[in-house]
């Protein structure tokens, strides 16, 4: 594959429909680069648009989990699914949002053993239960999250974010998506 972004090629922002190009440009302006996920999914604009809409609906909410807790779910899910792209990209965001240069690496490498406060542990355990063996997911997982103080809305956040990133992880595997080099040094 060499330096290829994806085994299905890549689309540059200027090749996207205007609405997508504008959304990607805002992200690129903030980060200083175009994340490869947008270049990889860009050859199917309707799917990229749907992905961004659902991503933003979950990850940009003002209620429920904090922004750092949302990224904690993404990194735990992506680590459990061995998704290099999402671990690297969202690990960078978690480092920044949690103001902790080590947390993302610890969560991604062994989310079951990383030391977290009771709330963080409940969030990660809930995400892992759904990500790893969703057919066995049940009331005991919900009861543990409630006992740790998560609200019904926060439990939904964890589940929906886990589900979205389980899909994203699989798309990254399908496309052999490469992380942008810029992600590796962010938040360190």
């Amino acid at each position: 594959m060499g330096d290829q972004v994806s085994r299905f090629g890549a689309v540059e922002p200027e090749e996207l429909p205007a609405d997508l190009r504008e959304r990607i440009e805002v992200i690129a302006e903030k980060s200083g680069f175009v994340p490869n996920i947008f270049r990889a999914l860009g050859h199917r604009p309707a799917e990229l648009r749907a992905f961004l809409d659902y991503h933003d609906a979950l990850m940009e909410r003002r209620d429920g989990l904090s922004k750092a807790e949302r990224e904690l779910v993404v990194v735990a899910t992506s680590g459990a699914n061995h998704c290099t792209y999402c671990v690297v990209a969202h690990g960078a965001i978690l480092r920044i949002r949690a103001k902790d240069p080590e947390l993302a690496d610890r969560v991604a490498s062994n989310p079951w053993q990383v030391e977290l406060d009771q709330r963080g542990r409940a969030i990660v355990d809930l995400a892992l239960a759904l990500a790893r063996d969703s057919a066995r997911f049940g009331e005991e997982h919900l009861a543990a999250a409630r006992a740790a103080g998560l609200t019904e809305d926060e439990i939904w956040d964890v589940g929906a974010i886990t589900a979205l990133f389980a899909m994203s992880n699989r798309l990254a595997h399908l496309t052999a998506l490469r992380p942008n080099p810029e992600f590796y040094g962010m938040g360190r």
Side-chain angles (χ1 to χ4, degrees), residues 31-81:
S31 65
F33 60 96
V34 176
N36 286 340
I37 185 77
F38 307 132
R39 297 175 64 222
L41 296 182
H43 75 283
R44 296 183 101 166
E47 292 175 33
L48 175 57
R49 191 176 290 110
F51 176 82
L52 287 170
D53 286 345
Y54 196 43
H55 175 278
D56 292 353
L58 294 175
M59 300 301 286
E60 301 301 326
R61 285 188 68 214
R62 295 187 190 277
D63 299 336
L65 301 176
S66 72
K67 288 186 180 264
E69 289 171 334
R70 291 171 197 281
E71 294 300 334
L72 182 65
V73 173
V74 176
V75 172
T77 299
S78 299
N81 289 325

Side-chain angles (χ1 to χ4, degrees), residues 89-113:
H90 288 274
I93 299 167
L94 178 57
R95 286 191 297 274
I96 292 165
R97 292 198 169 153
K99 297 176 178 53
D100 184 335
E102 298 176 10
L103 178 61
D105 294 336
R106 293 192 330 257
V107 170
S109 63
N110 191 343
W112 298 273
Q113 296 297 317

